[in-house]
Amino acid sequence: MSLWVDKYRPKTLDDLHYHHGLSARLKSLAASGDFPHMLFYGPSGAGKKTRITCTLRELFGPGVERLKIDQRVFLSPSKRKLEVNIVQSNFHIEITPSEAGNYDRIVVQELLKEIAQTQQVDLNAKQRFKVVIINEADSLSRDAQAALRRTMEKYMANMRIILCANSTSKLIAPIKSRCLLMRVAAPSPEEMQTALRHVAAKEGFDLVDSAADKIVEDSGGNLRKAILVLEALKMQSPDLSGPLTIAKPDWETYCHKVAELIVQEQSPARVLDVRAKFYELLSHCIPPTVILKTVAERVVENVDESLKADIMHWAAIYEVRMRQGNKKIYHLEAWVVKVMSLYKHFFYDIDMSGFD
């Protein structure tokens, strides 16, 4: 039994409930016979992968839905084995090179070269090229991006590359210049409600306005999360009536506790406590940018109005530094120290003003 988010995922561009202009553009590109390399970018849950899948169906027909999952093994220069999962059909292949960590360049070079040097074997295929989908493209190392750039130039005749990323800020300019950029923005609240009501109708129940509003508000533009929450609430309360309680994920609750620790006390000992909690979150694979965003938003809720702009300003600065550096914990900790310093100075200024 599949989850609703997979069960009711649109299969064609005509089935999509929002960004109709983007769907029409993708449809015309698929029919033009001159399909370019593409870069889909936008926030999580906006529907990037769904749109990519629908575009592939438009290019090749329903054959792209017959998938198989393989595990490929690559060897690093030190003979270390790298295992990478690959999803593929006769017409395309989907990879996430960032699974290989610092060795993602090897995966990109070897796999793309192998695909690019083979001709399309399906004589009934509408196109003579294969498509390679690269997930989490913004997590690729600079070396992997440089290798990808060379491959894009060399093997254009046999292969098209579709990159999927949350942001373009970490992609090198030569990659972006060789792709047609497709921004998939988060759906509006009205569009999310339309999609939720479509799922509810398919399941044979009416979604009341109060429940739809609460789900949309909690999801923050993430349609995947909204549909998952709808299914969870439906299992808890079949009629979706009365006050609904949407459970927060454990990592989010933990981030909120970290924010409270920062506001309660500003001392070296407290910095060490917060560092330990950051390590705990990072060890559970919570992205450092998500940690910083969640903690910063919670801190801002609990401080004076005059501090809010400065706290978010420094969060933005340390997020950029985090993207450029290697040790994420240093930048998280530096932001905490900065916030504590701002908080201390704020109360010191209040105390001193009392003596004037």
Side-chain angles (χ1 to χ4, degrees):
M1 183 178 165
S2 58
L3 295 169
W4 291 355
V5 73
D6 296 319
K7 188 177 176 182
Y8 301 115
R9 188 185 297 274
K11 289 186 168 59
T12 67
L13 290 169
D14 293 330
D15 293 340
L16 293 162
H17 291 94
Y18 55 95
H19 300 336
H20 297 297
L22 182 57
S23 298
R25 192 178 177 198
L26 289 169
K27 208 169 181 179
S28 63
L29 278 169
S32 68
D34 186 21
F35 195 76
H37 298 305
M38 301 181 82
L39 167 57
F40 286 77
Y41 67 99
S44 295
K48 298 186 293 294
K49 286 186 183 175
T50 301
R51 253 162 231 284
I52 291 169
T53 307
C54 293
T55 305
L56 288 177
R57 188 186 168 101
E58 198 72 32
L59 273 171
F60 299 107
V64 291
E65 293 168 14
R66 289 193 285 273
L67 301 172
K68 63 177 181 177
I69 300 173
D70 289 335
Q71 191 172 65
R72 289 285 299 273
V73 177
F74 300 88
L75 283 177
S76 71
S78 59
K79 303 302 179 188
R80 177 185 167 190
K81 288 185 177 179
L82 312 169
E83 294 182 349
V84 177
N85 292 319
I86 294 172
V87 179
Q88 60 183 341
S89 71
N90 288 338
F91 310 100
H92 83 288
I93 187 166
E94 185 176 339
I95 57 171
T96 309
S98 54
E99 288 177 3
N102 293 331
Y103 298 106
D104 55 356
R105 177 182 60 83
I106 296 164
V107 176
V108 168
Q109 275 183 324
E110 292 189 17
L111 195 60
L112 295 192
K113 194 177 290 184
E114 178 188 315
I115 296 161
Q117 289 175 343
T118 59
Q119 294 284 338
Q120 174 65 265
V121 293
D122 193 330
L123 298 176
N124 297 318
K126 296 179 183 178
Q127 310 289 344
R128 303 316 304 161
F129 56 81
K130 274 195 168 186
V131 172
V132 180
I133 300 169
I134 298 180
N135 294 320
E136 299 179 15
D138 46 348
S139 298
L140 291 174
S141 65
R142 303 283 288 192
D143 287 345
Q145 291 187 44
L148 179 59
R149 164 197 162 184
R150 290 192 292 274
T151 310
M152 290 169 83
E153 292 170 345
K154 195 171 179 182
Y155 300 113
M156 179 77 175
N158 293 347
M159 180 178 66
R160 298 292 187 276
I161 291 172
I162 297 180
L163 303 173
C164 186
N166 286 348
S167 165
T168 60
S169 61
K170 291 182 75 176
L171 291 168
I172 60 175
I175 293 275
K176 289 185 276 191
S177 67
R178 285 162 176 77
C179 292
L180 178 62
L181 270 63
M182 290 286 177
R183 180 173 177 267
V184 185
S188 67
E190 294 76 20
E191 289 167 337
M192 288 183 72
Q193 289 202 16
T194 302
L196 289 173
R197 287 198 166 86
H198 171 76
V199 172
K202 288 279 188 181
E203 283 294 315
F205 68 93
D206 290 326
L207 181 61
V208 295
D209 290 344
S210 58
D213 291 339
K214 190 167 182 64
I215 293 168
V216 168
E217 182 185 352
D218 179 75
S219 302
N222 188 329
L223 185 56
R224 179 174 59 245
K225 181 182 176 183
I227 296 172
L228 289 169
V229 168
L230 173 65
E231 186 173 7
L233 290 175
K234 180 65 176 171
M235 297 302 114
Q236 293 170 13
S237 172
D239 55 355
L240 291 178
S241 60
L244 298 173
T245 305
I246 299 174
K248 295 285 185 188
D250 291 344
W251 66 265
E252 195 172 326
T253 307
Y254 204 73
C255 284
H256 290 170
K257 286 181 181 175
V258 172
E260 286 160 14
L261 288 174
I262 294 169
V263 174
Q264 285 166 4
E265 183 187 326
Q266 297 78 44
S267 67
R270 183 52 57 92
V271 173
L272 290 174
D273 291 344
V274 170
R275 178 200 282 175
K277 291 193 166 21
F278 279 151
Y279 270 125
E280 184 75 17
L281 287 162
L282 290 169
S283 68
H284 284 81
C285 300
I286 307 300
T289 50
V290 172
I291 296 172
L292 180 59
K293 178 176 179 286
T294 309
V295 174
E297 286 175 349
R298 188 66 170 188
V299 168
V300 160
E301 289 176 13
N302 296 317
V303 298
D304 190 84
E305 196 71 34
S306 61
L307 284 173
K308 293 182 178 181
D310 281 341
I311 288 171
M312 295 312 286
H313 167 76
W314 284 103
I317 287 175
Y318 282 107
E319 184 183 7
V320 172
R321 292 181 184 176
M322 197 189 299
R323 290 180 186 276
Q324 294 169 341
N326 291 323
K327 278 283 189 179
K328 313 301 182 187
I329 188 70
Y330 291 166
H331 306 288
L332 287 169
E333 192 175 1
W335 174 77
V336 170
V337 172
K338 187 69 185 178
V339 170
M340 287 184 173
S341 171
L342 289 169
Y343 205 68
K344 275 270 198 188
H345 278 100
F346 172 73
F347 280 108
Y348 176 77
D349 291 342
I350 288 177
D351 292 342
M352 292 306 291
S353 64
F355 288 106
D356 292 343

